[in-house]
Amino acid sequence: MSRRIVRTTLALVGAAGLAASLSACGSQVATVDAGACSNVSDLEGELTEIPTVDCGEAHDAQFVHVFDIDQDGDYPGDEAIAAAAEEGCRTGFESFVGISYDESALGLDFIPPNENTWDAANDRQVICVAYLLDGTTTTESWEGAAI
């Protein structure tokens, strides 16, 4: 059975239907490196920075891939962004976790550029985040874990 990445209209994040959107401060947009850990509850609302925790501390989310949408010009619309984000995140998820998303026990979401950050900050970055579906936490990284 194929699963879809769950997302909200603004952006994404989490089993509880939480939503995050990035805010452009001048020409700066919040970013994070793949491998950093976080908590879904910290990824709500408008983010000017991405909150992280040490992966050795309790967490329920990990950023598994960060990539740029290779497109110039006007904002292509939420559906086009979501399609590009889903494709890129699935590929990055498998490379990072070591198993395809469809076979994994983890959820997957993404924080995409929005029309404001696309125009104001030339933002093309998609941040892909995996999370525990059962609401528990871990103190380990999912890199290569094949879970």
Side-chain angles (χ1 to χ4, degrees):
M1 172 195 274
S2 179
R3 298 185 301 162
R4 270 181 33 128
I5 295 175
V6 179
R7 61 185 159 74
T8 67
T9 305
L10 288 178
L12 96 129
V13 180
L18 305 174
S21 64
L22 296 177
S23 174
C25 181
S27 63
Q28 298 294 315
V29 176
T31 190
V32 68
D33 292 328
C37 295
S38 190
N39 288 293
V40 169
S41 62
D42 294 335
L43 300 174
E44 297 180 44
E46 190 173 275
L47 301 175
T48 55
E49 69 180 61
I50 306 291
T52 62
V53 297
D54 184 285
C55 291
E57 295 179 22
H59 62 279
D60 62 4
Q62 186 168 14
F63 302 101
V64 296
H65 187 52
V66 178
F67 71 98
D68 286 339
I69 295 174
D70 187 21
Q71 184 171 338
D72 292 325
D74 294 337
Y75 183 73
D78 293 340
E79 287 184 25
I81 293 294
E86 184 168 342
E87 180 181 336
C89 286
R90 282 177 170 269
T91 300
F93 179 95
E94 185 167 353
S95 294
F96 188 88
V97 178
I99 192 172
S100 78
Y101 171 67
D102 291 329
E103 298 173 284
S104 175
L106 299 171
L108 179 63
D109 262 323
F110 53 86
I111 303 172
N114 58 46
E115 188 168 8
N116 179 49
T117 63
W118 184 277
D119 294 338
N122 198 35
D123 178 26
R124 304 296 186 264
Q125 189 173 77
V126 175
I127 301 169
C128 309
V129 59
Y131 60 92
L132 291 167
L133 291 167
D134 62 4
T136 62
T137 61
T138 185
T139 56
E140 309 218 352
S141 170
W142 299 320
E143 186 169 10
I147 62 169

